[in-house]
């Protein structure tokens, strides 16, 4: 296992022998020019559900660098995450007194096999608690493109299973949300634009939003992830459609829109919109609860699921 840390030690990326990656980020007061989370008694573990990814998003490191894909078993995922966390708490023993957040936002899409994701999550937390590597659970984040196979309603049906085993673990008292679960849906454009950016077979946007309408707020919080790419989804029409979609999904429950800063990589055909700031103001005028997110960890190229090593890297 290869280990890469930022100079301040707050972000570490683990490259496992099978090629998958785990990233661990400490909660910090300030990062990337803004607040990074209000809850400070936790640490975040970003998990890969596979080696590489079969989805093939055109803007992703994995696609640009033609990273090979292979599946990971539940036990392989659990052992990878455990090895990374053990190194982390041995290096930073104070983390043993904090709560763990598990974020399925590394390589792969956890909704390709959601049952395995649930099983692995349960196994990871039980193992950490048994060995007293943390004091409890802060939450579970699921990052997904919503592949077509999720259409069966598996997410809604399995959230109850998540809730059932979570009852066995102490919850972070500083976490006031109704549910410990958050689902981050990668939107990035209208149906036509999205189908080009994400060529794998996906649920239609309308079907996804209809599914989200059926998920009670005490089961999961829904957050919409969106990037603004130059000449791809940053026209007046694209922004009007984004605002229209957000108003549609918010008609029954409140869902947050998060604009991600695009992390470019060598040979990527995409760059962030040259009108980024103007577009954010335009969106904010219609959708007040919009958050612009720049993830920490760029030193070791460990942010927003794009974990693949680049041409240069931080401290090893």
């Amino acid at each position: 296992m290869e280990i890469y840390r930022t100079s301040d030690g707050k972000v570490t990326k683990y490259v496992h022998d099978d090629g998958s990656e785990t990233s661990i980020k400490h909660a910090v007061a300030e990062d990337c020019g803004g607040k990074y989370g209000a809850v400070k008694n936790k640490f975040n573990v970003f998990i890969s559900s596979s080696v590489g990814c079969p989805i093939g998003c055109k803007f992703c490191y994995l696609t640009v660098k033609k990273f090979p894909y292979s599946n990971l078993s539940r036990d392989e995922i659990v052992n990878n995450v455990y090895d990374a966390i053990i190194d982390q708490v041995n290096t930073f023993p104070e983390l043993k007194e904090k709560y763990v957040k598990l974020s399925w936002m590394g390589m792969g899409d956890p909704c390709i096999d959601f049952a395995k994701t649930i099983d692995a999550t349960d196994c990871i937390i039980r193992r950490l608690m048994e060995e007293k590597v943390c004091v409890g659970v802060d939450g579970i984040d699921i990052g997904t493109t919503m592949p077509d196979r999720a259409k069966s309603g598996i997410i809604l049906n399995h959230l109850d299973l998540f809730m059932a085993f979570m009852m066995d673990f102490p919850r972070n008292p500083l976490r006031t949300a109704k549910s410990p679960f958050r689902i981050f849906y990668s939107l990035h454009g209208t149906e036509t634009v999205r189908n080009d950016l994400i060529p794998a077979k996906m649920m239609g946007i309308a079907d996804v939003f209809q599914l989200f309408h059926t998920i009670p707020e005490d089961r999961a919080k829904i957050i919409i992830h969106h990037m603004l790419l130059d000449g791809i989804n940053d026209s007046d029409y694209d922004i009007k459609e984004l605002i229209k979609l957000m108003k549609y999904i918010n008609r029954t429950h409140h869902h947050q829109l998060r604009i991600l800063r695009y992390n470019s990589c060598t040979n990527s055909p995409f760059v962030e919109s040259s009108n980024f700031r103007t577009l954010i103001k335009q969106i904010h005028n219609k959708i007040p609860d919009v958050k612009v997110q720049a993830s920490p960890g760029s030193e070791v190229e460990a942010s927003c699921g794009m974990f693949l090593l680049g041409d240069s890297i931080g401290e090893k």
Side-chain angles (χ1 to χ4, degrees), residues 11 20 47 93 133 142 145 159 168 196 215 220 236 252 276 296 305 310-311:
V11 181
S20 67
I47 303 171
V133 177
I142 306 290
T145 56
L159 280 174
D168 294 340
D196 182 61
I215 298 177
D236 287 342
T252 57
F276 186 86
D311 299 322

Side-chain angles (χ1 to χ4, degrees), residues 27-94:
V28 294
E30 302 261 346
D31 208 330
C32 298
K35 297 291 183 183
Y36 177 58
V39 179
K40 301 297 184 275
N41 62 343
K42 66 177 176 69
F43 61 97
N44 291 21
V45 182
F46 291 79
I47 303 171
S48 293
S49 55
S50 62
V51 180
C53 181
I55 301 298
C57 300
K58 291 183 178 179
F59 48 77
C60 181
Y61 268 54
L62 301 176
T63 305
V64 172
K65 299 203 171 186
K66 298 179 181 177
F67 199 90
Y69 164 74
S70 61
N71 194 23
L72 288 174
S73 69
R74 180 205 67 178
D75 289 345
E76 288 172 325
I77 294 171
V78 171
N79 289 334
N80 284 345
V81 173
Y82 178 79
D83 289 346
I85 293 177
I86 290 301
D87 174 81
Q88 193 72 187
V89 298
N90 286 340
T91 307
F92 305 98
E94 66 272 17

Side-chain angles (χ1 to χ4, degrees), residues 210-308:
Q210 190 58 46
L211 170 61
F212 289 162
H213 285 315
T214 67
I215 298 177
E217 291 182 281
D218 63 353
R219 283 293 179 267
K221 180 176 181 179
I222 308 297
I223 297 173
I224 308 301
H225 269 172
H226 196 81
M227 289 186 295
L228 296 172
L229 302 175
D230 203 54
I232 303 296
N233 62 357
D234 62 344
S235 69
D236 287 342
Y237 172 78
D238 291 317
I239 301 306
K240 288 177 182 177
E241 286 299 302
L242 172 60
I243 292 169
K244 185 190 300 183
L245 285 170
M246 287 307 303
K247 287 185 175 179
Y248 170 78
I249 193 177
N250 282 334
R251 74 183 196 274
T252 57
H253 301 323
H254 172 72
H255 304 299
Q256 186 183 76
L257 173 65
R258 289 196 187 183
I259 305 296
L260 303 179
R261 304 306 302 263
Y262 180 60
N263 295 313
S264 186
C265 66
T266 304
N267 297 326
S268 173
F270 304 103
V271 294
E272 187 172 79
S273 174
S274 57
N275 295 321
F276 186 86
R277 292 184 180 277
T278 299
L279 296 179
I280 292 299
K281 291 178 181 178
Q282 185 178 339
I283 294 168
H284 184 263
N285 285 338
K286 300 293 184 180
I287 309 292
D289 187 16
V290 58
K291 178 178 180 180
V292 177
Q293 181 171 317
S295 297
S298 58
E299 263 186 79
V300 292
E301 295 180 0
S303 52
C304 299
M306 296 184 285
F307 292 110
L308 190 62

Side-chain angles (χ1 to χ4, degrees), residues 168-212:
D168 294 340
F169 309 118
R171 291 278 310 282
N172 189 345
L174 298 183
R175 181 65 65 186
T176 58
K178 295 179 181 178
S179 170
F181 306 107
R182 299 188 299 178
I183 298 173
F184 294 78
Y185 172 58
S186 296
L187 180 59
H188 308 315
T190 61
E191 200 83 63
T192 301
V193 171
R194 192 171 191 270
N195 287 343
D196 182 61
L197 289 174
I198 308 175
K201 193 167 183 177
M202 295 286 112
M203 286 181 65
I205 294 173
D207 290 336
V208 171
F209 281 12
Q210 190 58 46
L211 170 61
F212 289 162

